[in-house]
Amino acid sequence: MSVSSFPIKRRTLLAGSAATLALGASPAWAAYPDKPIKIIVPWATGGSTDAITRVLAQRLSEGLKQPVIVDNKPGGAGHVGIDQAAKSAPDGYTLAIVELSHVYAPAVVANLPYDMLRDFTPITLVGTSPMVLFTGMGPENADFKTFLKTASTTKGGPPAMANSGTGSISHLVGELFSQETKIKFNMVPYRGGAPAMVDLAAGQVSSYFATLATGSSLMAAGKVKALAVTGRKRSDVPILRSLPTMTELGLKNMDVAQWWALVAPATTPLEVTERLRLELLTAMSDLKVVERMSALGVEMKGTSRDQLRGFLRAESERWRTLARNVGLKPQ
């Protein structure tokens, strides 16, 4: 199931509105929400997931007439915060934003304390973004070909490639890139995208696969460079259109897209998740939100709950296989 199958359409909003009106007859949840809502972000502030969530939270608070608080819970390559969300009360007041790394986590994390499919109720997919290969500004990174030549001839050991934590999407993409290019990298884990990007700008690591949202500010400041994006076709997001894809550059198996979705703890009432889904779709169709997301390299996508559930299952199977193929094992 491709993420390109889920554009946000007016009929989706109308259908959601009708369903919500029907569900709104339940007196138990007629007043929802009547207090602030928290969205757990399982990463440190400053990364792409944090930035995306803050855009959505601001617009959601307007629609729901309640504060929507972003609660950063970094650690464990994102698993600490998601575990906390899984164990939260299923009352619609604690949500979580999840991404690709959370569905393949069982393939790379031993004794994971939660199950992405069993312990959460899907709300909607939010959007997708290619992964960008970021490097420093030195002449050794003049273009993709020069970067590969430098990486393959570095003296003193393999060049360091940052990632957002062992088992994160940036780690998996880095391992896949290493396999595809046949170049050995020293994979260096960080506690999120922001500190990894800071060290990249300072020359402590040679490269880092991340979304545009993670590196856009340092790229605009001329401190890091974007060389290429993952995927088979160029991004529809204006700021990324000039970057070649890994497929164009000869790496046929680098067809990877990061994505984000909103979920609630399992057994959260249907009335609540449908109200949230409708408000999210409305927020995601707001032109100001679309523009801000585009600046972060994110193409907006919306789904039904059942579409998202099927998508999560398909992604879980696909990436468990990929993790196995690049040699990652549960640790």
Side-chain angles (χ1 to χ4, degrees), residues 192-217:
M197 194 62 70
V198 168
D199 269 12
L200 177 64
Q204 299 300 310
V205 292
S206 73
S207 50
Y208 177 38
F209 275 100
T211 57
L212 176 66
T214 301
S216 58
S217 60

Side-chain angles (χ1 to χ4, degrees), residues 128-130 212 234-242 293-299:
T128 66
S129 175
L212 176 66
R234 295 205 178 195
S235 173
D236 291 332
V237 175
I239 196 171
L240 293 176
R241 285 177 189 158
S242 64
M293 289 293 195
S294 180
L296 296 172
V298 179
E299 184 178 354

Side-chain angles (χ1 to χ4, degrees), residues 7 10 13 32 69 77 87 96 98 121 133-134 138 175 182-183 198 203 208 230 250 258 292 317-319:
R10 179 172 173 78
L13 290 173
Y32 175 86
I69 301 164
K87 293 175 171 60
V98 297
T121 296
L133 175 61
F134 287 101
E175 294 285 1
K182 297 180 173 55
I183 297 173
V198 168
Y208 177 38
T230 58
Q258 174 64 295
R292 292 178 67 186
E317 290 299 320
R318 177 192 179 195
W319 290 95

Side-chain angles (χ1 to χ4, degrees), residues 132-138 140-141 147 160-163 190 193-210 214-215 218-219 223-227:
V132 180
L133 175 61
F134 287 101
T135 67
M137 297 297 295
E140 70 277 12
N141 303 313
F147 168 77
M161 177 180 284
N163 63 64
Y190 286 80
M197 194 62 70
V198 168
D199 269 12
L200 177 64
Q204 299 300 310
V205 292
S206 73
S207 50
Y208 177 38
F209 275 100
T214 301
L218 287 176
M219 187 170 71
K223 295 184 177 181
V224 299
K225 177 184 294 187
L227 293 186

Side-chain angles (χ1 to χ4, degrees), residues 152-165:
S152 63
T153 57
T154 300
K155 297 180 180 180
M161 177 180 284
N163 63 64
S164 300

Side-chain angles (χ1 to χ4, degrees), residues 285-302:
S285 65
D286 186 305
L287 289 180
K288 291 182 179 179
V289 172
V290 172
E291 289 174 359
R292 292 178 67 186
M293 289 293 195
S294 180
L296 296 172
V298 179
E299 184 178 354
M300 306 299 289
K301 309 282 185 179

